[in-house]
Structures are given as structure tokens and as C-alpha cells.
Amino acid sequence: MARKNANEGSEIRRFDEANVARLGLISIQERIPPDFTSWTIDFNVDGRQARLSCVAVAEHGGVPHGLDNDVSLALITLYQEAGSPEDGTVVATAYRILSLIGWDTSGHYYQALKESLERLTTATFTASEAWRSGKKWTTVKFRYIDRLEYTSEDDKLGLSGHSVLKIRLAREIVESIRAKYLKPLDLEFLTSLDRPLTRALYRLLDAQRVSPDGGEVTQFRTNIVEWAKACKIVDQTPSRVRRTLEGAHAELVERGYLSGVEYEGRGPKQEVIYTFAKQAAIPEEAREVVARLGRYGVARPVAHSLIGAYGLSRVEERIARFEAILLAGYAPRNRAGFLVDVVRDDEGKYTDPEGFVSRSRRLEADAAKAKRAEAARRAEERKQQQADAEWDALDPKGRATKAIRMLTLILGKHVPIRYYSGLMEAFEAGKMDPREVTEAAVKAQVELQLGPFTQELMRVLDGLGAG
């Protein structure tokens, strides 16, 4: 399914309802057999037996699965954005729902949304001693969507971008959210993942990342068959489970959410071991940069490592270059991977697009300009020192002779010849300084002011009676 970028303008911190996230009510598989209309799993909770089951109808495609994970999360997010109203009602356009979860908003995705909503409205979930309410494990039976209403603009009663939906969530989910039984969720990262299966697995794994006492879990291991049940995978043969999860594992490792996935043992007794990538602490001023990276799908651990390795300034600059490359028309297949490569590039693979100059290039240009200016200043100093030495080496008559020679070249016919003898007399008598007059003439020549200069010079000489 075509994907769009995660929302870039949102400032709302996202949370998932913890029961839904932990239990994984929806099969992570993108496609299921038509007759897969129910499932039941037994497991232990705090040393007690618990059971989770789902019963659905074939008419709507069997049990909730695949893309239904995205839709269920969108409804939880919209409910919280609405202020978590007591009646559990969410009102939104179909376009808003598709945009929130990163689906393409063109034609047939509205049909996919409609089918998903129908599955979530008709499937019945039962959590026996498995639903957390307050400090107790309870038994609840509910449909994810308790009531569904929507407007339609065609004869087929389908959804469109202008369709308005009024959805009432299950009372159990509503009460849990209002009781703040929540877990933080990186929605920008989730919606940037390519496959529905990867997004569903990420949501399920992320629920395991925080221990019941609130601590961070660095590694999660579980029996492969039990994990297949938790993921609601149809064929729970270990080899088949591994193939089913292989692509999602690779994407989560590549994106930096997991640092590794290993298997230990053989057959039904083998375990799958997930090692979560370490999330290093970053300074307050770097959080906005992490958020900017996240909007393009870069996982937080990867963002942290980039800032740690290359520094905040470089990462900010490379994001600007990456954005300029996109504006210039380049469309990478994997935005997150391309952005990371731009940040890491030390070989000049990614140059500034036409019309864009990155901060480092500006700094380089400014540094080169300053270097040239400094070189010119030093050359001028050396020139001045040389001139000082030459003047200082001459006696008064020699300085006067040198001055007349230079002034003759500079002033030429601008000054009548009789004034040159007057200048020599003034220099030798100490009435005028030969070097000062010469340097003033040079300056007047450079500034194209020889006319005014010669007039003033002749006026002074006439006053001295030397003209």
C-alpha cells in the first residue's frame, strides 16, 4: 500500500491504550484465509491463567488483521485528540483518518478503510482475567467499535474524502484511556514503516519495552509458538513463523528500533530473542532535531546515535540539505534511509542543489574569504614595512629626490613644471614632508581625485612662495 509521510505539524504527544497494545487484539498478518474467523490463546498473567479470544464473521473478511491495526490506533489517537470524552465518541472525516495513519488518500483506500471499520464493528473480543482495570485483572467482552455511523456521497454507500464518521469506541477501551492506562507511542515512526505487518509488530513489541514497574526492558524473549499466538499468526509452525516475521524483523533492525533478533533452540521449544536498540539520553536542545528526524521516519535510537557521532550542528545542516534535495525533485524510495545517508556522507556524494547553500558551505566560503582578507592584510603590512625601510634608509636629500621622481610620474602635466622646483625647495627646507605628499598623491590617484589634489598642492606651494 502506498504510504505518505507522517504528520509534520503535530505537537500532541501520542499514547497507545496499554491493554490493546499489550494483548495485540489484531492479527499482524496482512492476509488471512477467508475461514479464519476465530482464534483463542491461553497464557499466564502474574502466575494466573488467562485467555483471549476473538469471534468474527467471514462476510467482512474474518478476524481483524493487517491494516486494521493502523485503523484501531487511529481511532485511539483521534479519541485522545478530542479530549477523551466520556461517551467514547469520535467524529472525523475519512480523509482525516487516512492522513493520520499515513495511508494514501486516493480512491480505493477509502474502501479498505470501510472494510476495516466493519471488521472492528462486528468482531467480538473476550479477555478472560486478562484486561487490566485499576490494579486488577478482569474479564471483559466487547467489540472494538461499539457504534458506527457515516455519510456517503455515492450510490454504493462507500466512503470518500468528505465522508463524516461518528464512531463510538468500546466502553472498556474508553474507561481504560480515561483512567490513564496508557503507554507512550512514537506515531511518527510507526506510520513511516513500510509494511502493515511491520507496523503491527512494532506496536506489539513496543508494549513489551516497558516492564510492569515502569522500567525499561532492553531485551524481550519468548517461546516462538507463544509469540505466534500473540501475533495471531495463522500457521504457527516455527519455520513458517520465522518466514512470516522475517521482513518485519529486517525493517525494524534497519530502522534502528531493534539492535538484533536471534533464535535459540529448535522446533516448538525455540525462543525468539529481541534486543532493543539503546536509547541514549540527549540534551534538551537536541529534542527538536530528534523530532525532525522522526518526521521522516528515522527511529529515535538512530537519531540519538547520529547526534552523538556527528554533533547537533552537522545533523541540523544535513537535514536542511536533505530537504533541499527533496524540494529539487528527488524522490528516494526510503526517505529515512536516504536522510541517514546524507547525514553520514563524508565523501561529498550529496552536493547542495542549485539555489541552496548549506551552512557548512557558507562557513567554508566565509572562512576562505577571511583567509584571503588576512593574506591581503599581511601582504599590505609587508609592503608598508618595505616602504618604511626604503624611506628610512635615505637622507633628507635622497627622500626629497625620491618624492620628486614619484610625483612627476603620478602628477605629470597636472602640475606646471615650475612647481616641481618649488616642491624640492620645500622638501629640503623641511616645510613639507616628502613621504606624506607622495602618499597623499598615490591615494588621490587611486580615488580619482588628482584634480582637487593638485589644485590644493599648488595653493599650498603658492602660499610658501615656492610656486
Side-chain angles (χ1 to χ4, degrees), residues 198-264:
T198 309
R199 298 194 292 275
L201 181 63
Y202 165 77
R203 190 181 178 191
L204 195 57
L205 277 172
D206 209 51
Q208 310 298 327
R209 194 161 189 169
V210 179
S211 63
D213 61 3
E216 183 180 359
V217 174
T218 58
Q219 193 175 81
F220 168 65
R221 61 190 299 157
T222 181
N223 175 269
I224 193 168
V225 176
E226 296 303 315
W227 187 234
K229 293 177 181 178
C231 295
K232 319 302 180 296
I233 295 174
V234 179
D235 187 343
Q236 296 172 2
T237 306
S239 60
R240 186 63 182 174
V241 174
R242 290 177 66 153
R243 284 196 296 272
T244 299
L245 297 176
E246 185 177 15
H249 287 168
E251 186 175 1
L252 290 174
V253 170
E254 179 186 352
R255 297 293 301 280
Y257 178 74
L258 296 173
S259 62
V261 180
E262 299 175 276
Y263 294 94
E264 192 175 278

Side-chain angles (χ1 to χ4, degrees), residues 51 61 138 224 231 298 317 343 352-353 377 412 422 446 453 466:
R51 172 172 291 179
T138 62
I224 193 168
C231 295
V298 178
E317 176 216 330
V343 173
D352 292 342
R377 185 188 65 78
V446 171
F453 173 78

Side-chain angles (χ1 to χ4, degrees), residues 376-435:
R377 185 188 65 78
R378 290 182 179 178
E380 184 61 31
E381 281 185 356
R382 288 193 297 270
K383 184 178 178 182
Q384 188 66 37
Q385 289 169 359
Q386 184 179 357
D388 290 344
E390 290 177 356
W391 283 103
D392 292 343
L394 298 172
D395 59 20
K397 185 173 181 60
R399 285 196 290 272
T401 302
K402 178 176 180 177
I404 292 297
R405 185 171 61 250
M406 293 180 67
L407 290 169
T408 302
L409 291 172
I410 296 169
L411 303 180
K413 295 180 180 180
H414 288 282
V415 176
I417 193 167
R418 69 178 185 274
Y419 280 98
Y420 288 109
S421 60
L423 271 172
M424 178 61 83
E425 291 176 6
F427 291 155
E428 291 178 343
K431 295 178 180 179
M432 298 179 72
D433 187 291
R435 182 175 179 182

Side-chain angles (χ1 to χ4, degrees), residues 363-382:
L363 291 175
E364 288 173 6
D366 291 344
K369 183 178 179 181
K371 186 176 181 180
R372 290 193 298 272
E374 177 63 16
R377 185 188 65 78
R378 290 182 179 178
E380 184 61 31
E381 281 185 356
R382 288 193 297 270

Side-chain angles (χ1 to χ4, degrees), residues 13 19 31 146 168 201 214 295 323 343 369 376 415:
R13 191 178 181 195
N19 280 305
R31 288 173 291 277
D146 193 49
R168 188 169 69 206
L201 181 63
R295 290 170 196 141
E323 291 173 340
V343 173
K369 183 178 179 181
V415 176

